Amino acid sequence: RNPVLDVTRVAEELQANYGYEKPDILLNATKREVSEKIGAYLNRKFQPGDSLLIYIAGHGKFDERLKRGYLVFKDSTKEDALNMSYLSHSDLSVFVDSTACDRIMLVIDACFGGTFDNQVATRGANDLAYPEATKAEIIARKSRLKTRIFLTSGGKEYVPDGTPGANSPFTAQFLRALRTYGGNT
């Protein structure tokens, strides 16, 4: 019900408070349209220090037989034995990793989005302990490296879309974090 509103509001926030000139937005996209956009990023010449945020709001599915999560598109078919009309999270991961941009953050607000992480897809959540560090220390450490960060609205589960005409619960919190520059909300 709400993915179009979610993506539009995130784009508005990025323009208003983060200096994005004109975010690329695909609404109710087909698999081909998304594939072409990903291909454009794969072929793009990024400058040193560039960052790329890919925000996906929509639908997802999980195939228990294959232990793989997928993104669902406008033209995806329900009866698809081999999931060919979907984009697998593992293929998306390869595309993101192959994009020649130093820093990429992928955000997925879709059911089963957490299965982008193969450990979640095959075994469930994996709690890793990270040493304590301030936000500034983490940012300084990460900005020196080629990084890939992903954030999802859930793990290997359905996630709520929220009230019709409002942002999803995940996007509402994501927007709150953007508006407070990662502050305590």
Side-chain angles (χ1 to χ4, degrees):
R1 291 174 277 190
N2 300 326
V4 169
L5 178 65
D6 292 341
V7 169
T8 302
R9 291 281 158 75
V10 169
E12 290 169 354
E13 187 65 31
L14 293 173
Q15 284 182 284
N17 293 315
Y18 287 87
Y20 280 61
E21 292 175 19
K22 185 177 184 304
D24 294 333
I25 300 175
L26 300 176
L27 301 176
N28 296 314
T30 64
K31 183 180 179 188
R32 181 184 183 106
E33 291 168 332
V34 170
S35 297
E36 288 172 356
K37 181 54 69 181
I38 292 169
Y41 288 133
L42 280 170
N43 294 325
R44 185 172 171 178
K45 302 290 186 218
F46 288 91
Q47 298 302 312
D50 280 352
S51 298
L52 177 64
L53 170 67
I54 302 171
Y55 193 93
I56 299 169
H59 302 286
K61 74 171 262 180
F62 186 76
D63 188 327
E64 193 64 52
R65 304 166 305 163
L66 302 173
K67 304 288 189 236
R68 289 180 101 179
Y70 298 86
L71 295 174
V72 178
F73 300 99
K74 178 180 176 178
D75 59 341
S76 295
T77 57
K78 190 172 185 176
E79 302 302 322
D80 184 349
L82 295 178
N83 304 307
M84 299 303 287
S85 64
Y86 308 105
L87 175 61
S88 73
H89 292 161
S90 56
D91 284 345
L92 180 59
S93 177
V94 169
F95 300 143
V96 169
D97 285 344
S98 300
T99 300
C101 182
D102 289 340
R103 289 176 295 285
I104 300 177
M105 180 176 191
L106 173 67
V107 180
I108 302 174
D109 185 3
C111 294
F112 306 104
T115 62
F116 181 80
D117 181 337
N118 196 46
Q119 290 182 348
V120 173
T122 58
R123 291 187 289 277
N126 185 17
D127 296 328
L128 297 174
Y130 292 99
E132 291 290 324
T134 66
K135 264 194 266 186
E137 290 169 335
I138 292 170
I139 291 169
R141 227 183 293 156
K142 296 291 185 186
S143 63
R144 289 190 300 267
L145 306 170
K146 179 178 179 178
T147 58
R148 302 296 186 254
I149 299 171
F150 69 94
L151 176 66
T152 66
S153 58
K156 189 174 167 181
E157 62 200 344
Y158 289 97
V159 294
D161 198 24
T163 307
N167 291 115
S168 74
F170 175 82
T171 296
Q173 290 299 318
F174 188 78
L175 286 167
R176 195 167 288 127
L178 287 175
R179 289 175 183 144
T180 61
Y181 301 98
N184 297 327
T185 60

